[in-house]
Amino acid sequence: MSLKETTMWQRAIRQRELFEEPGGLPTPALPPQVQQTARQLLVLWMETLAKAISEEAVNEQDPR
């Protein structure tokens, strides 16, 4: 097996390990207030990102 084939094989193994579901790890439970705050911040971030993308699209279409 060549060095390139070995590297590709090792990369495939690492990618498979990266995307496999973790076994037996409990999901941490956040208090309801923390969940609500995190959700609000995520929505704010998504809205800000969508606005920036929209403005960028308009700027790209501006013929000036």
Side-chain angles (χ1 to χ4, degrees), residues 45-55:
W45 175 78
M46 290 170 46
E47 289 172 342
T48 303
L49 184 61
K51 182 179 178 186
I53 291 171
S54 177
E55 288 174 356

Side-chain angles (χ1 to χ4, degrees), residues 5 8 29 38:
E5 290 172 335
M8 290 174 62

Side-chain angles (χ1 to χ4, degrees), residues 4 11 16 22-24 27-28 30 32 35 40 42 45 48-49 51-53 55 58-59 61 63:
K4 186 175 180 178
R11 184 180 302 155
R16 203 172 313 124
T27 303
L30 298 173
Q35 288 180 17
Q40 290 170 347
L42 181 60
W45 175 78
T48 303
L49 184 61
K51 182 179 178 186
I53 291 171
E55 288 174 356
V58 167
N59 290 341
Q61 294 174 2

